[in-house]
Amino acid sequence: MRLLLLLAALGLSWAQYNPNTKPGRTTIVHLFEWRWADIASECERYLGPNGFGGVQISPPSENIVITNPNRPWWERYQPISYKICSASGNEQAFRDMVTRCNNVGVHIYVDAVINHMCGAGGGSGTHSSCGSYFNTGSRDFPAVPYSSWDFNDGKCKTSNGEIHDYSDANQVRDCRLVSLLDLALEKDYVRGKIADFLNNLISIGVAGFRLDAAKHMWPGDIKAILNRLQNLNTKWFPAGTKPFIFQEVIDLGGEAISSSEYFGNGRVTEFKYGAKLGNVIRKWNGEKMRYLKNWGEGWGFMPSDRALVFVDNHDNQRGHGAGGASILTFFDARLYKMGVGFMLAHPYGFTRVMSSFRWPRNFVNGKDANDWIGPPRNPDGSIKPVSINADTTCAGDWVCEHRWRQIKNMVIFRNAVDGQPFTNWWDNGNSQVAFGRGNKGFIIFNNDDWNLDVTLKTGLPAGTYCDVISGQKENGRCTGKQISVGSDSSARFQISNTAEDPFVAIHVGHKL
Ligand code: AAO
């Protein structure tokens, strides 16, 4: 009882800031545009066994079907109704996924699009993923139902109803984001429809929500909706557990709206994280890895316990949202692995790993003309299944960064060092850096243009450790580099600047 009270006082166990992952699981993966059936299999065959805590899924709600361009990925950010019915699967497939993932300790986080419905120019008809009728001219979405009363048309003060100026908070929240019909979230009726949608997902067994376009909603309106949500399904979660909430707010500074306005509702996406880390790893603007010594709040980021962090997301990997050339993606695989490795080793924030599909980039005047291209599809428009190669990578155009050995092993590293302090920082005054996590793990990077050869105090118990970047421990031996830690916890590291992966990570879980 005393423990329960303590947990409640600390707001740990039941609060919307807690990711609700199983103990010892510290990271979620965004399986962008995957089918529910494939996610269910992935939970069982890969994510559960490798210690992933959960999956952020693409929006499950019924969306508009766009054929010009042909089936862009972003059609799923244009809801037509709250039926669970999309290219990823129907409600039955969704329920099966949630059940099977939860049963292996991997939770599901829903990308909830509740700020708006489809674009104003969507037309009328049944060109939607489940065939529901709608008419954007009359603002009619009978499958919810919403009608013209339920949108912000009267409230927005700009000439054409669009957001023009991000320095005006009223515009950002009351006008249309890229013409998307903006719901009147101050209305009790609209709040009720959204709460019903989210509660249905909660009763099926999801663990939380990414709130899409949260910046475009008033924090108080979000709060009013969250107040109507039920606790998580007790089949998989302790009684009284609230859904995990993370809000998509892009705050790089210099605009009217700041992330902190949303802390009362839950966590917030920290977009500075990937933008700055990209600059450092690319060594742009004179950045060096040694500056990462005070990474986190020391860089002007939000408090760690409010932050959801990531190296790239589905928007900025292709120049949408707070896209910027500095963002690291799978296209720059060598640097990307270092960035993700750094993120997963560092204690700041709750971490999300990206898992993408490949598309042919086509830069025209600095912008990718192919930024709309959707996931691998069959000729009839259905999403292609994800199939797995013998070497555990994914086939076809599914990139599956989460299955890259270096990234998968760093997810396991983060679980192994959970709760340990940031210790034993070392740098060479440039871009060779190292740090430990108490007496559980240690990581070292060589991002300089010369070799590294140094003996450092790691904080780890004496013994022989397998580097989990060049290999791992398998059948009692190391498949990659081996590192000997002496009785004084020191170890010698040698990393060539031309190594395939110029970093080394060791932890107590992969000790011989
Ligand atoms: C599509 C078409 C549109 C069409 C519309 C309706 O592309 O031409 O009008 O359909 O028919 C996604 C796609 C959109 C797509 C939409 C609907 O990205 O292209 O529109 O689905 O299908 C803003 C929002 C942020 C949003 C981001 C994309 O604040 O919430 O734009 N992200 C989410 C999702 C995203 C989705 C939606 C929301 C909509 O993750 O996938 O859109 O559901 C500034 C502001 C940011 C703002 C950006 C972009 O950022 O701060 O808040 O993001 O501008 O407008 C530097 C600055 C940075 C600045 C940035 C601008 O980095 O530091 O602050 O430059 O480039």
Side-chain angles (χ1 to χ4, degrees):
M1 186 61 197
R2 196 177 297 159
L3 177 66
L4 289 181
L5 285 174
L6 180 69
L7 287 173
L10 293 173
L12 279 178
S13 200
W14 296 277
Q16 64 274 28
Y17 310 104
N18 185 321
N20 300 323
T21 47
K22 286 277 185 202
R25 294 182 186 251
T26 57
T27 297
I28 61 173
V29 54
H30 182 194
L31 296 180
F32 180 44
E33 286 275 10
W34 281 43
R35 298 156 66 245
W36 309 148
D38 291 327
I39 295 176
S41 303
E42 190 71 352
C43 285
E44 294 171 341
R45 71 189 166 204
Y46 198 83
L47 302 176
N50 286 300
F52 285 79
V55 182
Q56 178 186 315
I57 60 167
S58 283
S61 40
E62 180 175 20
N63 60 271
I64 193 170
V65 168
I66 290 182
T67 47
N68 183 22
N70 190 27
R71 310 300 306 271
W73 62 269
W74 42 254
E75 67 176 29
R76 296 185 65 177
Y77 289 88
Q78 301 197 32
I80 295 299
S81 81
Y82 298 134
K83 290 179 188 162
I84 301 176
C85 192
S86 67
S88 286
N90 60 19
E91 182 168 336
Q92 194 193 330
F94 184 88
R95 286 178 180 274
D96 184 58
M97 165 185 71
V98 172
T99 299
R100 287 166 59 191
C101 289
N102 279 338
N103 284 349
V104 293
V106 181
H107 297 321
I108 297 295
Y109 302 85
V110 169
D111 195 347
V113 185
I114 58 173
N115 170 67
H116 51 261
M117 299 301 278
C118 68
S124 74
T126 55
H127 46 296
S128 50
S129 54
C130 222
S132 294
Y133 172 82
F134 63 98
N135 183 338
T136 56
S138 56
R139 308 279 187 269
D140 202 18
F141 294 88
V144 178
Y146 286 137
S147 67
S148 58
W149 300 103
D150 302 318
F151 293 88
N152 271 335
D153 297 291
K155 214 174 164 194
C156 170
K157 299 287 183 283
T158 64
S159 52
N160 63 353
E162 292 287 315
I163 299 169
H164 298 291
D165 180 3
Y166 275 88
S167 68
D168 176 352
N170 292 299
Q171 272 188 42
V172 175
R173 286 159 174 161
D174 294 340
C175 300
R176 293 183 208 144
L177 166 65
V178 293
S179 102
L180 300 162
L181 294 173
D182 205 53
L183 285 165
L185 297 180
E186 79 274 15
K187 283 192 64 180
D188 189 69
Y189 175 79
V190 174
R191 290 174 177 177
K193 286 295 165 193
I194 293 171
D196 289 349
F197 166 48
L198 302 182
N199 278 328
N200 180 37
L201 296 164
I202 288 173
S203 67
I204 292 172
V206 308
F209 302 100
R210 168 190 185 265
L211 298 186
D212 178 69
K215 182 179 181 174
H216 303 275
M217 302 187 266
W218 293 93
D221 288 341
I222 294 178
K223 179 87 186 155
I225 292 166
L226 297 181
N227 285 343
R228 297 186 186 206
L229 299 188
Q230 60 206 34
N231 293 326
L232 298 186
N233 188 325
T234 53
K235 183 162 179 215
W236 295 289
F237 303 93
T241 309
K242 285 190 178 185
F244 177 46
I245 300 297
F246 58 106
Q247 303 159 94
E248 189 229 3
V249 178
I250 297 175
D251 174 10
L252 296 176
E255 284 183 15
I257 295 170
S258 61
S259 299
S260 59
E261 295 169 51
Y262 292 84
F263 291 167
N265 294 331
R267 289 201 187 226
V268 180
T269 49
E270 179 51 278
F271 276 86
K272 290 174 187 161
Y273 195 102
K276 303 269 186 195
L277 188 60
N279 273 323
V280 174
I281 304 259
R282 291 180 190 279
K283 300 189 277 187
W284 285 357
N285 315 324
E287 294 282 6
K288 302 176 194 312
M289 282 189 82
R290 82 166 158 98
Y291 301 146
L292 296 172
K293 185 175 184 179
N294 66 341
W295 185 245
E297 289 94 342
W299 278 61
F301 300 169
M302 66 182 76
S304 177
D305 62 358
R306 290 295 173 271
L308 184 293
V309 299
F310 46 92
V311 172
D312 61 330
N313 80 347
H314 72 281
D315 282 334
N316 64 19
Q317 68 173 195
R318 48 175 52 71
H320 283 232
S326 78
I327 300 296
L328 296 169
T329 71
F330 66 87
F331 285 115
D332 309 292
R334 189 169 183 263
L335 298 180
Y336 187 67
K337 286 177 276 184
M338 276 201 271
V340 175
F342 182 86
M343 174 182 81
L344 292 170
H346 195 280
Y348 180 86
F350 183 71
T351 47
R352 178 181 64 195
V353 166
M354 182 69 201
S355 188
S356 319
F357 57 80
R358 211 172 278 110
W359 74 98
R361 290 197 296 191
N362 177 21
F363 286 107
V364 182
N365 300 323
K367 189 188 176 297
D368 181 3
N370 283 343
D371 67 346
W372 58 272
I373 288 180
R377 291 188 197 275
N378 297 307
D380 68 356
S382 59
I383 299 178
K384 281 192 179 164
V386 177
S387 59
I388 309 298
N389 299 319
D391 67 358
T392 79
T393 59
C394 294
D397 283 330
W398 299 103
V399 182
C400 292
E401 296 93 313
H402 69 288
R403 279 176 170 261
W404 294 2
R405 181 190 65 242
Q406 300 85 342
I407 293 178
K408 176 261 296 179
N409 279 347
M410 286 306 299
V411 169
I412 296 170
F413 178 108
R414 189 175 192 77
N415 292 342
V417 304
D418 189 25
Q420 293 290 314
F422 179 75
T423 46
N424 293 310
W425 174 268
W426 167 83
D427 66 66
N428 69 342
N430 223 65
S431 284
Q432 298 181 350
V433 305
F435 62 93
R437 296 293 305 278
N439 58 4
K440 301 277 194 214
F442 193 79
I443 190 164
I444 176 163
F445 296 86
N446 178 12
N447 200 23
D448 275 332
D449 300 327
W450 56 89
N451 293 342
L452 172 152
D453 185 348
V454 68
T455 297
L456 297 173
K457 184 170 156 24
T458 64
L460 298 188
T464 304
Y465 293 80
C466 299
D467 170 30
V468 297
I469 304 304
S470 58
Q472 56 205 1
K473 181 176 146 185
E474 260 172 48
N475 306 320
R477 55 175 278 273
C478 298
T479 59
K481 285 186 191 171
Q482 216 165 280
I483 305 288
S484 316
V485 174
S487 53
D488 61 350
S489 101
S490 71
R492 181 176 178 189
F493 297 93
Q494 294 172 290
I495 306 176
S496 160
N497 61 307
T498 58
E500 182 187 349
D501 294 307
F503 64 118
V504 165
I506 54 177
H507 65 84
V508 291
H510 283 230
K511 184 172 183 259
L512 292 186

